[in-house]
Amino acid sequence: MDYITIALSKGRIGKQADNVFKKIGLGDCIDLDSRKLIFKDDINKINYIYVKPSDVVTYVEKGVTDLGIVGKDTILESDTNVYEIFDLGFGKCKFSIAGIKGEKIYKKDDILKVATKYPEIAKKYFNERQQKIEIIKLNGSVELAPLVGLSDVIVDLVETGNTLKANGLEVIEDMFNISARLISNRVSYRFKFDRIQNIIKSLNENMEG
């Protein structure tokens, strides 16, 4: 039997994926507290690699791994050529547009200044609404941008909204929901179809249980 190789995202999604795989009897070899990046399960013929979320889609797309587990946000921002085959149901949050509380700066006639860590997602979303925007790419503390006049609004992941409230911001519009997804290389999905379907079946049964 050929090995299946799965890329896990570092961080919270990877830890939750580790728990799920252990529940379905496939992740006993994974030890995320170690410094190892490759875990080999010789019994079930599965290799796991532990990489940054943004790299998961690259490993899957290039065929280095057959499958990957990563947030929907990373998939959308990467615009990658992979199959998204299963919603794992954890890592839930949403993409939202937010701005200073009480200031409804959201007009179609104006060029909206949008600060975000996700420029591609923001561009697509506003283009569909024919809203002219100027993207301001930031790598962290996006909530600061409207407070200091760098942007009119932000586009960011929102889980509880507490960070927005603490900084005097509010959600203007929810864009779409996000959760962890199982993705597949297109060739692997064809040639390892039965094994991949068995993994999906086990994951689905875990969710139902």
Side-chain angles (χ1 to χ4, degrees):
M1 183 166 61
D2 291 338
Y3 273 82
I4 286 271
T5 303
I6 302 174
L8 303 176
S9 298
K10 286 187 174 181
R12 188 176 60 174
I13 284 181
K15 290 178 181 176
Q16 290 176 292
D18 175 33
N19 291 334
V20 170
F21 275 104
K22 282 184 167 60
K23 281 183 181 177
I24 62 175
L26 296 180
D28 289 344
C29 66
I30 303 171
D31 180 7
L32 300 186
D33 292 326
S34 73
R35 299 181 69 85
K36 291 174 65 177
L37 299 174
I38 300 176
F39 307 98
K40 195 166 187 175
D41 179 349
D42 288 322
I43 296 173
N44 295 299
K45 304 293 185 188
I46 299 177
N47 290 326
Y48 301 88
I49 68 169
Y50 195 43
V51 298
K52 285 186 175 181
S54 57
D55 292 337
V56 169
V57 289
T58 302
Y59 279 104
V60 174
E61 184 176 33
K62 299 298 182 185
V64 175
T65 67
D66 302 295
L67 302 173
I69 294 178
V70 69
K72 175 73 174 177
D73 54 313
T74 303
I75 299 169
L76 290 171
E77 185 64 20
S78 302
D79 194 23
T80 189
N81 187 26
V82 298
Y83 287 137
E84 185 183 316
I85 55 176
F86 189 70
D87 184 347
L88 290 147
F90 55 76
K92 288 182 177 178
C93 54
K94 58 189 176 183
F95 260 109
S96 300
I97 301 165
I100 294 176
K101 191 173 183 180
E103 292 187 13
K104 301 295 182 185
I105 305 172
Y106 199 44
K107 299 174 183 175
K108 279 194 171 182
D109 294 338
D110 298 334
I111 295 176
L112 202 65
K113 291 182 180 179
V114 181
T116 184
K117 289 180 280 187
Y118 304 93
E120 297 305 318
I121 291 172
K123 282 179 195 172
K124 288 177 192 170
Y125 190 82
F126 283 105
N127 281 344
E128 288 175 2
R129 282 151 183 76
Q130 299 182 322
Q131 171 65 59
K132 295 177 182 176
I133 61 169
E134 175 188 345
I135 290 286
I136 300 163
K137 174 74 166 63
L138 294 176
N139 295 308
S141 302
V142 178
E143 296 85 359
L144 186 62
L147 300 177
V148 297
L150 182 62
S151 73
D152 298 313
V153 297
I154 64 171
V155 166
D156 203 11
L157 290 172
V158 176
E159 187 171 358
T160 64
N162 290 337
T163 304
L164 294 178
K165 289 178 185 174
N167 289 287
L169 304 178
E170 65 180 359
V171 171
I172 297 173
E173 180 182 333
D174 288 328
M175 298 163 66
F176 32 74
N177 294 321
I178 297 296
S179 59
R181 307 297 168 95
L182 181 67
I183 59 174
S184 173
N185 173 270
R186 288 175 175 267
V187 175
S188 298
Y189 191 74
R190 179 180 176 189
F191 287 101
K192 298 182 179 180
F193 181 80
D194 290 342
R195 291 209 62 200
I196 290 172
Q197 287 301 313
N198 285 335
I199 291 173
I200 292 173
K201 182 182 177 186
S202 296
L203 292 169
N204 199 37
E205 288 172 353
N206 172 73
M207 290 179 68
E208 291 173 352

